[in-house]
Amino acid sequence: MSKVENKIKAIVLVHGFWADGSCYREIIPTLLAEGYEVVAVQNPLTSLVDDIAATKRALDRIEGNCLLVGHSWGGFVITEIGNDERVLGLVYLAALVPDTGESMMDLMSKYGAPSPHFQEQNGFVWISRKGVEEVLAHDLSEVDQALLYAAQTPPSVSLMAAKASSAAWKQKASWYVLAAEDKAVPPNLQHELSQRMGAETTVVKSSHFPMISYPQDVLNVIRKAATNC
């Protein structure tokens, strides 16, 4: 694909629970080759305020307008910071998308209890190797599963109850990649959230990491968003 010639020159990628910026490794080289400036945020997952601050630091590094991409909990983060005037569009990947005053707990509560593969220790939640294999990444290779397990960033327990103070999707164009075989964020919830905000939605038969298992589909959505904001 030729170099981009549209008003969005930068893509900021925001990860979720039990991940880090490397979870975008399958799409970053292509975006760079197509001429985008790309920054993968390293969320500390210690508090919503801290994650918003980390994403703002990434925004401050780029020039011009950008597209925010949020995976899982990263959707919560981009919903908060997406009202920044530099952000022209929002792309959600198997993501949590709150309205003002909603928490992750509010969104997830009607879809059952947490997996037994999640283990709390010292106020943070880790996921077991079996949890990576069965809940997060059942369609990925053993190598990718091992990388996710080894590089996981455990979230603070407090993030479950943190409430959104704003909802950028009410003012910004949005796209959603729905992971139809996700066992972490239920597909029915993803459908409900994408419909509520009126996002243009693409469905892939993916586990919780569509940017790893279906990178071309995710890239196509990002390209479309960058062109049509």
Side-chain angles (χ1 to χ4, degrees):
M1 181 169 287
S2 60
K3 299 286 186 177
V4 291
E5 294 296 340
N6 54 57
K7 58 188 174 182
I8 286 186
K9 303 295 185 184
I11 312 291
V12 176
L13 307 168
V14 186
H15 68 80
F17 287 9
W18 306 294
D20 66 1
S22 70
C23 68
Y24 288 104
R25 60 188 174 271
E26 295 297 325
I27 68 171
I28 289 174
T30 301
L31 292 173
L32 291 172
E34 291 176 4
Y36 292 103
E37 180 181 3
V38 181
V39 178
V41 178
Q42 298 291 356
N43 280 330
L45 301 181
T46 45
S47 73
L48 178 56
V49 170
D50 291 344
D51 289 351
I52 291 170
T55 303
K56 185 180 184 303
R57 287 194 294 273
L59 286 175
D60 291 342
R61 289 178 55 197
I62 65 174
E63 295 184 6
N65 299 319
C66 78
L67 190 70
L68 282 182
V69 180
H71 171 244
S72 190
W73 165 258
F76 210 105
V77 178
I78 70 170
T79 296
E80 280 281 294
I81 199 169
N83 283 316
D84 188 293
E85 64 182 10
R86 294 167 290 187
V87 177
L88 298 190
L90 307 166
V91 176
Y92 294 90
L93 310 178
L96 296 164
V97 188
D99 200 347
T100 303
E102 288 182 336
S103 68
M104 178 180 178
M105 194 177 301
D106 294 330
L107 298 178
M108 295 286 286
S109 60
K110 63 181 177 179
Y111 289 92
S115 167
H117 300 303
F118 302 145
Q119 304 157 346
E120 182 181 344
Q121 185 179 46
N122 300 322
F124 289 83
V125 182
W126 297 79
I127 188 167
S128 67
R129 177 64 182 266
K130 191 172 183 181
V132 171
E133 295 169 354
E134 296 183 0
V135 178
L136 295 187
H138 56 83
D139 60 346
L140 299 184
S141 69
E142 290 185 3
V143 171
D144 280 326
Q145 290 172 347
L147 285 172
L148 286 169
Y149 177 72
Q152 68 175 290
T153 304
S156 168
V157 173
S158 67
L159 293 181
M160 314 295 180
K163 292 186 179 292
S165 62
S166 65
W169 51 265
K170 293 181 178 180
Q171 288 80 38
K172 303 293 175 79
S174 60
W175 289 258
Y176 198 104
V177 176
L178 193 161
E181 297 183 3
D182 196 339
K183 296 180 182 180
V185 177
N188 287 341
L189 174 59
Q190 295 182 42
H191 176 75
E192 177 184 321
L193 297 176
S194 62
Q195 290 294 109
R196 179 172 70 173
M197 66 177 172
E200 182 173 330
T201 302
T202 298
V203 180
V204 294
K205 292 183 179 180
S206 170
S207 66
H208 191 54
F209 286 91
M211 62 283 212
I212 300 176
S213 55
Y214 284 81
Q216 290 306 316
D217 295 85
V218 171
L219 283 164
N220 286 338
V221 172
I222 292 173
R223 291 175 184 130
K224 188 170 186 179
T227 302
N228 291 283
C229 282

